[in-house]
């Protein structure tokens, strides 16, 4: 059930870059949560791109190609070690897909974990947990 929110000023990414980044990050966050990578897990991994006219850092309008990535996932979904690897992999993906970011060696990409406590996320009014998500995703049977 990961939700990844990628925020930039307008026109940092082309549509092709967004599609490639979304596909690659989907796989990374599913694997980081310990979910099987299949159509069910892909169906619950949400990637949202948010573009703004202005972007302020330190109170100043920077309007540059900074990328802020918030990763919403269950608070117990992965360890600190997995988180560090996930962040490094996300920076690598964005750097490979976007030339401006690649030239900056990913130093313009900020990753922030947004852990969700039990009860913070539900589907259809039913509280979700990482264990429920794992059980759901593992129920997939290839046809």
């Amino acid at each position: 059930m990961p939700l990844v929110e990628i925020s930039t000023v307008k026109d940092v990414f082309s549509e092709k870059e967004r599609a490639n980044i979304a596909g690659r990050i989907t796989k990374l966050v599913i694997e980081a949560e310990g979910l099987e990578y299949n159509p069910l897990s892909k169906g619950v991994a949400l990637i949202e791109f948010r573009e703004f006219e202005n972007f302020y850092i330190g109170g100043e309008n920077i309007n540059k190609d900074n990328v802020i990535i918030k990763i919403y996932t269950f608070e117990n979904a992965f360890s600190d070690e997995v988180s560090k690897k996930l962040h490094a992999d996300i920076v690598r993906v964005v750097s490979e897909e976007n030339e401006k970011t690649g030239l900056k060696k990913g130093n313009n990409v900020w990753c922030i974990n947004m852990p969700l406590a039990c009860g913070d996320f539900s589907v259809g009014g039913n509280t979700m947990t990482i264990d429920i998500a794992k059980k759901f995703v593992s129920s997939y049977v290839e046809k």
Side-chain angles (χ1 to χ4, degrees), residues 75-132:
E75 65 184 347
N76 60 344
F78 45 76
S79 67
D80 288 346
E81 183 177 309
V82 170
S83 177
K84 287 177 189 175
K85 181 180 182 323
L86 175 62
H87 290 188
D89 288 344
I90 287 173
V91 169
R92 179 182 47 78
V93 163
V94 176
S95 296
E96 289 173 358
E97 295 294 343
N98 180 264
E99 182 180 0
K100 288 182 256 183
T101 300
L103 291 172
K104 293 184 176 187
K105 298 184 173 140
N107 289 322
N108 62 326
V109 180
W110 300 0
C111 295
I112 305 166
N113 288 345
M114 307 295 290
L116 302 173
C118 186
D120 284 352
F121 176 69
S122 67
V123 175
N126 299 305
T127 299
M128 294 295 295
T129 65
I130 189 65
D131 293 329
I132 292 170

Side-chain angles (χ1 to χ4, degrees), residues 49-69:
F49 286 86
R50 305 182 93 207
E51 294 183 321
F52 301 95
E53 291 291 331
N54 298 300
F55 213 77
Y56 291 80
I57 295 180
E60 295 185 28
N61 186 353
I62 59 158
N63 281 340
K64 293 186 181 171
D65 54 355
N66 289 63
V67 181
I68 311 298
I69 301 177

Side-chain angles (χ1 to χ4, degrees), residues 12-52:
V12 169
F13 300 122
S14 69
E15 182 55 40
K16 180 181 178 186
E17 288 171 335
R18 281 192 292 273
N20 290 344
I21 290 167
R24 292 176 69 187
I25 288 178
T26 294
K27 189 170 190 327
L28 291 173
V29 294
I30 287 170
E31 290 173 350
E33 280 196 337
L35 301 175
E36 295 177 31
Y37 186 71
N38 62 40
L40 288 180
S41 61
K42 290 186 342 185
V44 298
L46 310 170
I47 310 293
E48 176 185 27
F49 286 86
R50 305 182 93 207
E51 294 183 321
F52 301 95

